Amino acid sequence: MQYRVLGTTELEVSVVGFGASPLGDVYGATGPEEGKRAVHLAIDEGINFFDVSPYYGISLAEHRLGAALEGRRNKVVLATKCGRYGGNEFDFSARRVFASVDESLHRLRTDYVDLLFAHDVEFGDIKQIVEETIPAMRRLQEQGKTRYIGVTGFPLRTLIRIARAVPVDAILSYCHYNLLADDLATVLAPLAESQGIGLINASPLHMGLLTERGGPAWHPAPSEMREAAGSAAEYCHHRGFDISDLALRFCFDYPGVATTLVGMATREQVRSSLRAFEAPADPQMVRKVRAIVAPVFNRFWPSGREENQ
Ligand code: NAD
């Protein structure tokens, strides 16, 4: 495993990060025992960065991750979030942030997290995030309940607006750097670099779209994008490999982020992520697959470039 320092923090994180949302059954039911074994295997193989949220499975993922980390807490860099508690349930008030962290620490069976994120900030009031949520998170940092703080969300424009208004240690961006999109590199990375903010890339499989199985029913991509991703998966399959391996390797190779979070809940997924990490890079195949998906993607998916115009 390789490790990179997250921005200007003291956190050294594995290039392959463990996204724990599938432990909350957000991609379908998973076995809790298998999930625990997947966490243990990941740690044994050197994966040290784990990301979760009270929102994933409405606290189920935190419960399961906490149980799996029992006795292993000191081997991992642990991130959780606050502010999002359901599909449409958000509360970024300082009061809720304080209570939320205590609930998360209880479920995670620890007395501190390494990173606390405000979760999906575009659904909050930006003024409140800047003037109330983040200052509350800084107070938690002073109290030793979190070592660092950051924000997560989808629109790059919103993440940038917040980072310009108030210092944050890390930004978690999803679906903006993978075989389908790479505007994280052009739009967000320059700001992060200039401000010493650590970047985390999430959803390297575009929330399941870049897999042979395809995305879950709730995936926001229109049918045209699903079909294009399906064609790309078929193209890879006929050439004897799984599109997920190519998609993961593409992300692991990008040095502009400290870690790439892969959503995992089984040992097989951990093994295939590690296989993708070890596999040789194939830039020619990346170009071919991107040529299949890019034209469709550019028409249908909100782009960070446009958002910032
Ligand atoms: P992902 O792109 O990693 O896709 C996950 C899906 O792919 C799941 O169905 C999983 O079972 C499957 N999968 C995993 N490894 C595979 C492999 N090798 N081959 C085939 N299928 C595989 O999407 P994700 O889970 O949404 O993102 C990863 C993590 O990033 C999340 O678990 C979460 O921790 C974090 N995240 C955070 C935010 C946010 O804060 N707003 C948003 C998205 C993701």
Side-chain angles (χ1 to χ4, degrees):
M1 184 49 56
Q2 283 171 20
Y3 301 86
R4 295 181 191 144
V5 176
L6 181 68
T8 44
T9 73
E10 289 176 351
L11 304 176
E12 236 183 287
V13 292
S14 48
V15 165
V16 182
F18 193 113
S21 69
L23 292 181
D25 290 351
V26 305
Y27 286 95
T30 60
E33 279 311 309
E34 179 55 28
K36 191 184 258 188
R37 289 191 199 104
V39 169
H40 294 173
L41 175 66
I43 294 171
D44 292 345
E45 294 292 336
I47 293 175
N48 77 345
F49 185 56
F50 287 75
D51 174 72
V52 71
S53 162
Y55 169 49
Y56 302 149
I58 316 304
S59 81
L60 182 63
E62 282 192 335
H63 272 298
R64 287 180 171 172
L65 184 60
L69 291 180
E70 187 100 67
R72 292 171 168 83
R73 171 68 185 92
N74 62 357
K75 294 187 169 163
V76 304
V77 174
L78 181 58
T80 194
K81 314 196 181 85
C82 59
R84 181 164 202 175
Y85 305 100
N88 283 313
E89 204 186 313
F90 297 89
D91 187 345
F92 291 99
S93 67
R95 206 177 125 155
R96 188 70 187 97
V97 168
F98 294 137
S100 180
V101 164
D102 287 339
E103 291 159 16
S104 289
L105 294 178
H106 178 72
R107 289 190 287 262
L108 290 166
R109 306 185 191 190
T110 183
D111 51 10
Y112 75 98
V113 287
D114 297 283
L115 258 169
L116 177 68
F117 288 109
H119 194 171
D120 289 342
V121 284
E122 68 271 26
F123 293 97
D125 167 24
I126 301 301
K127 192 168 176 327
Q128 184 185 37
I129 304 276
V130 169
E131 294 177 6
E132 182 176 341
T133 316
I134 290 176
M137 292 163 76
R138 288 290 182 204
R139 281 210 290 286
L140 288 165
Q141 184 181 27
E142 284 157 21
Q143 292 167 13
K145 292 186 181 179
T146 183
R147 291 179 66 195
Y148 298 99
I149 66 138
V151 289
T152 84
F154 178 73
L156 299 177
R157 178 182 51 189
T158 308
L159 297 170
I160 288 170
R161 254 181 82 193
I162 292 173
R164 283 197 177 126
V166 61
V168 294
D169 306 315
I171 295 178
L172 186 162
S173 155
Y174 70 101
C175 290
H176 279 288
Y177 193 91
N178 58 51
L179 284 179
L180 296 174
D182 62 3
D183 45 1
L184 177 150
T186 49
V187 176
L188 183 58
L191 174 93
E193 169 87 39
S194 72
Q195 298 198 1
I197 298 170
L199 280 187
I200 295 166
N201 181 30
S203 305
L205 301 171
H206 214 86
M207 302 190 296
L209 219 55
L210 294 167
T211 62
E212 294 204 337
R213 197 170 63 165
W218 50 259
H219 199 291
S223 57
E224 289 85 348
M225 266 180 67
R226 284 175 183 270
E227 280 158 24
S231 306
E234 226 168 275
Y235 178 88
C236 296
H237 187 79
H238 284 130
R239 277 147 192 85
F241 64 93
D242 189 324
I243 192 169
S244 310
D245 292 350
L246 190 75
L248 291 176
R249 182 62 210 255
F250 175 74
C251 292
F252 299 150
D253 278 345
Y254 174 53
V257 297
T259 181
T260 295
L261 284 166
V262 192
M264 301 186 277
T266 66
R267 283 171 292 176
E268 185 39 40
Q269 285 165 349
V270 174
R271 286 193 197 101
S272 63
S273 298
L274 293 167
R275 259 199 317 271
F277 176 70
E278 300 293 345
D282 190 342
Q284 204 190 347
M285 194 54 74
V286 165
R287 274 196 299 277
K288 286 190 172 156
V289 167
R290 296 195 82 189
I292 297 172
V293 289
V296 182
F297 180 85
N298 289 339
R299 259 190 296 142
F300 290 103
W301 192 251
S303 140
R305 265 178 223 104
E306 283 165 23
E307 285 166 13
N308 282 282
Q309 277 167 5

